[in-house]
Every structure is written in C-alpha cells, then in structure tokens.
Amino acid sequence: MKKIILSAICCFILFCGYSQKNKNDFGKGQCTIYYSHYENGNPDNENNPTALTVEGGRSSIRELFGEKKMISQVPIEEGFVLLDSAKWFQTAQLSSGEKIMYVIPLEKLPKLEKTARKDTILGYVCEVFTTTLRSNRIDISVYHSEGIKATPAPSLGVPDGIALRIVMNGNTEIRATKITENIASKKITLPANYKTLPNTAYRAAITAGYVTTIPIFQNQQICFGCVDSTIQNDNKLTQIIRVANGTVVLKKVCMPKFEPGTLFAELTEFSNGDAYDRTGSVFMIPVNLPKTFLQGCLEGKNKLPYFVSRNGKTYQGMVATENYEPIVELLRFYTPFGIHHFNSQVAVEGLTWNDSAFYKQDITPLLSLLTGDVWIGTFIGNYDKGGHLINLSLKYYPDSKEIGNAPSPKGKPWIKPLFCTTNVLEMAGQEYGTLFDQDSLTINFTIPEGITNLKLRYITTGHGGWGEGDEFNPKENEIFIDGKKVFGFIPWRTDCGTYRLLNPASGNFWNGTSSSDYSRSGWCPGTATNPINIPISFLSAGIHTMKIAIKQGSPDGSSFSAWNISGVLIGAQK
C-alpha cells in the first residue's frame, strides 16, 4: 500500500513539474525531446531511442545508439523539418562515405484528422489526431506550440505542434519520455554536399548497404558441347571450370566470415536454345575428406566411391562413406520450357511470356558450410548446344544492427552430408537415381555426443516424363532409421499451372491444358523445390542406419523413372 501511495505522489510531482512547462511554447531557445519505443505497453529494446531537437520553426530527428557498437553497414541518418522552406529533408551518410538525401514538401505528407480525444504526455495536454498508413491506424498526440511543427516520424505527417506520442494499431508506440533544454547548442542547419535522390532510390541505397552480395556466376552458359570443358585445378579463385561436356560449371569462391544472419541463393535462368524443362542444381562440394566429388569432376566418375544396387547398376558418388561426402544441394530448381529464347516464336492469345525465371531460396541452415574457400557449382541437364544462361549470387542479410546482438544458435552448428542421387555429372556418365526399382538407399552414419535439435534436410523429386512415369504419378517416400519408419510423405505439386507464363515452349493439348500445367512429383517447370525438414532429435549418439524407400515405377521401352533425393543432417553441438 505504501508503494502505491509513494508511486502516486511521484506521479503527482512529475506531472506538476511538467505542467509548469505548459507555459513554454517551445518557441524560445532549443530543446531536445527523447522518445522510447513500446510494444503492448512494454519497452521495446529492439528499437533504439529517438531524439527530436526543436528550435523555433526548425527540427532535426536522429536515432540514438548510446553505448551500443553497431555493425559497419549502419548509416548515419538525420532528418530535418524546416518550416522556412516547408520541406522535410532526410539525410544519410553511408558506410561507403557517400552522402545522400531525399526531399519531400510538407504539403505532400499524409494529412492528419483531428479527433475529440485528449492525451497527456509528460504533463503536456495534447490533442489526438489520426491518419492511416497502408490500412494501419495511426494516432498522434500533439501539443500545440505556436510556430512549431515537429515530429519524430515525418513520414506519418507533420502536425501543427509537437508530436509527443505516436501509436500504431493501438499497440506499437513511440512516446516522449524526457525533455531537456539545450543551453549552448549548435544551430539546426541543413548539412551541405548531400546528393539528392528520389525517396525510393534513397531507401534502396540504405537497404543495399546492409546486404552482402557474393557473385558466383554472371551470364554463364550451361550447354552440351557448346564450349570446351576446362579441366584445370589451379588456385585462382576466379577460375571457372566446365565439366560434363559443359553442363556443369564450377568455381572456387572465397566466402566472408558472417555474424549470425540470413543467407539466400538467388538464381536467374533463361533458355539460350533448349526448349525443355530440365533438372537444375546449385550445389557445394565438401573437400574436407580424402576423396571428394571434385575429383570425379576433374578426373572422371570412376574416381568416385560407388555401390552396386540389386538391379546390377553402379551408382557413383551418391552416398557418404568414411572418407567421402557427397555434394550438398543449396538449391534444386527446374527450368521452364524455353523461356526467353522461344518467346517470339510461340504466340498464345491472352498470354505474355516472362523473360526469365528467378529462383530465391533461404539456405541459412547451410551457412556454416559456406565459410572460407568453397567450391560451388551449377548443373542443368540438357543436350542442346545453345543450352541455358544463368546468373547466380549468394546474398547475406544481418540479423541485427548491433554487433553481438543477433540471436546466437544454441551450440556450434553441426552438418553432415549423407546422400545425393541428383546425377549432376549426368552428361559425363554418372548413373541416374534408378536404384529404387529393386532396392532402397542405405546409409550408415554416426552422431557424435552432444548433438541437439537434429533434423534431416531432405529434397526429393520424381522423374519419368510419360503417362506412367513417376514424374506424373504420386509416390510415397518412406524414411527408416534403424529399421523403424520415422517419416513418410508424397511429394506432389498441384500448382504448376500458376507458372504458365514462364513456359512458352510447353506443349498445348486439345483440351486447353498445357504440359507445364500438370501436377508433378515435387516440382513444376520454372520453380525451385523446397527442402523438407524432418526432426530426428530422438536419435542418441552412435552409429545408425538410414534407408529411403520409394516404389519406383517400371520402365517402358527406353523410358524409365528415377528419383533425385538428397539429405543432410543438421544440428547443434554443445
């Protein structure tokens, strides 16, 4: 009870103290108003405080970092509202040293509508105004002061007075918490030598400053026999190696060391002559063991570890052994039917073809593999001398502006590649994933002590492009560990018709459908295939056996079915 009374007295003294400032119209001298962020009434420490400095008809807005150490990409931004020019100037000095700004006349900012409500902030009695921003309701508490228009958020509208509280949808809030009088401060003046950009270009420059782009391939041709395969194993990081008759391009890439963040693979592809939907893969090659897939690329498939299935066929480089790890697929994708090259050759009433296919996938779970010098490759299976053209980049986005403040993984990342039946050396004789007709894929693996949050990153697609082939027939994938079924599902895409505008060379049928419209076993022409994350944290440390079983269909003449599956164990080590 005493605490409640004491709290009430403190509030009374606080409000009485600030009530004296109602006589101050903020028009004399200079003062700074400090704002804090709240979410559902609780302090929001993810957002830094804001300082609004007011001096007559001029004000400036800046974010306060305090003692926080920020990452180098954070720009120095400051906004200025100048009534003598009736404009809002937003300035930024980028980490590159470039100085940019955009300018918006105050009359073009959102208009505020006065309500009958009142609000009291720090003892100042305010009128409440409202507006909307992309269907979000904004309430702004404004203390009227003659000749002053100031706010910590000009983009929401500049009021006639000082905005002391801004609330979005009743729960997200920025509120004035402190006001100081500046005795000997610098006059508020607009800094010089800033390049003026449109608002959109300014925002793009700010965002781009946070993104680290690692270019891999630019305008690279992937084709069959159109260029000589280059088999050179030198140490040039920019050296591009072509193997498998030109259907695989490889490059050794020096990856920067990243703080916790998000990593995406971005690929743009279009036809340079090939009309068909083709299997594609962006992959990395583990090289930490005595035998590597790179040896198979440079010296031939027979250099890879192999096993013989019950059907008598030999399968090269597809499963992990004590001394070997298979490729890790970063992105499994499928080219559309002839995009770009055939656009002008095929006309369908009411359809306008896209010019290229774009694939973007989050590969953050594999980030710990992509450190230092790594080999990254791209494969598109095709038999065309024009083939395909690609652009590939990896893009990293930090998780926090503050150094060391990003959420850390619980333990050291642990990754173990297990299998990949995607035969990226198809045009160099590597066998297709046809073993499931009489066999299952079997892998022995070891889990070290202290592994937590273990899961299998599993990618699967079925192939066999005729009526009875596995491409067009749902088939269950069953995963067994130590003889027990732990997961089963049918990979099936029913949304392929969504991507019709990517497929100019797709066959059109009498009933109005197109080949690219048909549902398929885990993929569509012009799309990427999403990995499935299968939790297996119940496994103890030690040796285990995994089997993948699929009821693969029978061949028909020279046509056969196959399954491209890949699996990587991902966990954290204490």
Side-chain angles (χ1 to χ4, degrees):
M1 185 64 180
K2 289 182 179 179
K3 289 184 178 180
I4 296 175
I5 295 173
L6 180 61
S7 177
I9 293 173
C10 289
C11 288
F12 177 77
I13 293 173
L14 176 66
F15 275 69
C16 285
Y18 272 110
S19 68
Q20 297 301 313
K21 290 194 174 182
N22 278 325
K23 297 177 182 178
N24 182 356
D25 62 2
F26 292 94
K28 297 178 180 179
Q30 186 184 102
C31 70
T32 298
I33 308 165
Y34 298 89
Y35 297 80
S36 295
H37 295 259
Y38 299 86
E39 189 74 29
N40 294 317
N42 300 312
D44 176 11
N45 296 321
E46 292 296 316
N47 287 296
N48 294 318
T50 301
L52 170 65
T53 299
V54 180
E55 185 179 43
R58 296 188 159 211
S59 62
S60 69
I61 311 106
R62 65 191 186 281
E63 184 178 1
L64 301 177
F65 300 116
E67 297 181 356
K68 293 181 179 180
K69 293 183 178 179
M70 313 307 290
I71 62 176
S72 61
Q73 300 98 312
V74 175
I76 301 172
E77 289 191 273
E78 188 168 9
F80 297 86
V81 174
L82 308 182
L83 297 189
D84 49 5
S85 60
K87 292 176 182 177
W88 164 35
F89 302 82
Q90 183 64 37
T91 69
Q93 182 171 328
L94 306 180
S95 57
S96 64
E98 184 181 9
K99 297 179 179 181
I100 60 175
M101 74 174 178
Y102 68 86
V103 184
I104 297 182
L106 300 186
E107 62 182 17
K108 292 189 176 181
L109 295 173
K111 306 304 179 188
L112 305 180
E113 180 181 346
K114 185 177 179 180
T115 71
R117 288 178 289 148
K118 301 287 185 181
D119 192 12
T120 302
I121 309 296
L122 296 178
Y124 291 92
V125 178
C126 302
E127 295 177 312
V128 177
F129 292 76
T130 187
T131 187
T132 59
L133 176 67
R134 292 187 287 275
S135 300
N136 295 289
R137 178 184 173 89
I138 312 294
D139 293 310
I140 303 177
S141 301
V142 178
Y143 173 72
H144 181 72
S145 186
E146 194 67 35
I148 293 178
K149 293 184 177 183
T151 174
S155 62
L156 301 176
V158 176
D160 187 8
I162 300 178
L164 296 180
R165 188 207 306 257
I166 300 173
V167 183
M168 179 181 289
N169 295 330
N171 48 32
T172 302
E173 176 183 1
I174 177 171
R175 183 200 318 156
T177 55
K178 178 183 175 183
I179 301 175
T180 61
E181 187 177 350
N182 303 338
I183 304 299
S185 296
K186 236 174 121 181
K187 294 284 185 183
I188 296 177
T189 57
L190 185 67
N193 302 321
Y194 277 69
K195 179 182 179 181
T196 301
L197 300 175
N199 181 12
T200 52
Y202 174 96
R203 291 298 169 196
I206 295 291
T207 301
Y210 287 109
V211 181
T212 301
T213 300
I214 302 99
I216 312 295
F217 299 118
Q218 291 80 47
N219 204 35
Q220 284 299 315
Q221 189 175 12
I222 298 180
C223 50
F224 185 79
C226 59
V227 292
D228 292 334
S229 292
T230 304
I231 302 179
Q232 298 176 1
N233 189 10
D234 60 25
N235 290 318
K236 295 179 182 178
L237 295 183
T238 58
Q239 175 72 31
I240 293 176
I241 296 175
R242 300 178 182 276
V243 298
N245 287 297
T247 59
V248 174
V249 289
L250 297 168
K251 184 178 179 181
K252 187 160 64 171
V253 180
C254 183
M255 293 288 293
K257 184 178 179 180
F258 292 122
E259 293 288 322
T262 303
L263 186 68
F264 284 91
E266 290 190 2
L267 177 74
T268 301
E269 176 275 333
F270 59 86
S271 169
N272 192 49
D274 187 18
Y276 279 95
D277 53 335
R278 304 293 190 179
T279 300
S281 180
V282 176
F283 59 93
M284 67 87 57
I285 301 177
V287 293
N288 56 321
L289 292 175
K291 287 187 177 294
T292 73
F293 192 82
L294 186 61
Q295 292 171 312
C297 292
L298 301 177
E299 302 175 41
K301 68 180 188 300
N302 293 331
K303 293 294 183 178
L304 298 172
Y306 67 89
F307 67 89
V308 179
S309 179
R310 290 177 182 173
N311 60 17
K313 295 180 180 180
T314 299
Y315 296 89
Q316 307 93 352
M318 292 184 174
V319 298
T321 69
E322 184 178 352
N323 297 314
Y324 169 81
E325 291 178 342
I327 63 172
V328 177
E329 290 192 285
L330 307 179
L331 172 69
R332 173 91 61 81
F333 67 97
Y334 291 89
T335 71
F337 286 93
I339 195 169
H340 182 83
H341 186 80
F342 292 91
N343 283 12
S344 61
Q345 300 180 36
V346 180
V348 176
E349 184 69 22
L351 299 182
T352 301
W353 309 119
N354 290 352
D355 196 56
S356 61
F358 178 69
Y359 315 83
K360 182 172 183 174
Q361 195 164 87
D362 185 346
I363 59 171
T364 306
L366 303 174
L367 181 58
S368 62
L369 281 181
L370 300 169
T371 58
D373 290 348
V374 297
W375 283 94
I376 295 177
T378 301
F379 154 74
I380 298 177
N382 73 98
Y383 296 92
D384 188 89
K385 283 196 172 183
H388 304 256
L389 292 174
I390 65 162
N391 290 283
L392 173 66
S393 296
L394 302 183
K395 287 192 175 181
Y396 164 82
Y397 303 78
D399 278 352
S400 176
K401 294 181 181 180
E402 184 180 358
I403 295 175
N405 194 46
S408 298
K410 296 180 180 179
K412 182 181 178 182
W414 181 81
I415 298 180
K416 175 65 178 176
L418 290 185
F419 56 88
C420 181
T421 69
T422 306
N423 55 333
V424 301
L425 293 180
E426 174 186 353
M427 283 66 188
Q430 187 184 17
E431 187 57 76
Y432 294 85
T434 55
L435 69 151
F436 300 102
D437 58 350
Q438 299 179 31
D439 208 345
S440 58
L441 185 71
T442 302
I443 314 99
N444 296 318
F445 61 96
T446 301
I447 300 176
E449 293 285 349
I451 299 298
T452 62
N453 196 29
L454 188 63
K455 59 187 176 184
L456 173 68
R457 183 181 187 263
Y458 183 66
I459 303 174
T460 178
T461 52
H463 304 270
W466 79 102
E468 299 305 315
D470 283 6
E471 178 176 327
F472 296 114
N473 291 278
K475 296 293 180 71
E476 183 180 12
N477 287 222
E478 297 178 284
I479 298 176
F480 299 83
I481 299 181
D482 300 332
K484 181 180 178 181
K485 184 176 179 178
V486 298
F487 193 76
F489 79 112
I490 298 173
W492 194 244
R493 289 285 293 265
T494 60
D495 62 333
C496 295
T498 306
Y499 308 98
R500 181 68 183 95
L501 296 181
L502 297 172
N503 291 276
S506 175
N508 298 310
F509 302 118
W510 62 270
N511 62 357
T513 60
S514 178
S515 176
S516 63
D517 295 341
Y518 283 105
S519 301
R520 286 172 168 82
S521 290
W523 62 280
C524 298
T527 69
T529 295
N530 288 324
I532 303 295
N533 293 305
I534 303 168
I536 50 175
S537 290
F538 55 84
L539 292 182
S540 59
I543 299 174
H544 300 274
T545 299
M546 180 182 295
K547 290 186 177 182
I548 293 90
I550 305 168
K551 293 180 180 179
Q552 179 180 304
S554 300
D556 184 4
S558 61
S559 298
F560 60 89
S561 293
W563 282 83
N564 291 335
I565 66 170
S566 65
V568 180
L569 293 179
I570 299 177
Q573 192 165 30
K574 293 181 180 178

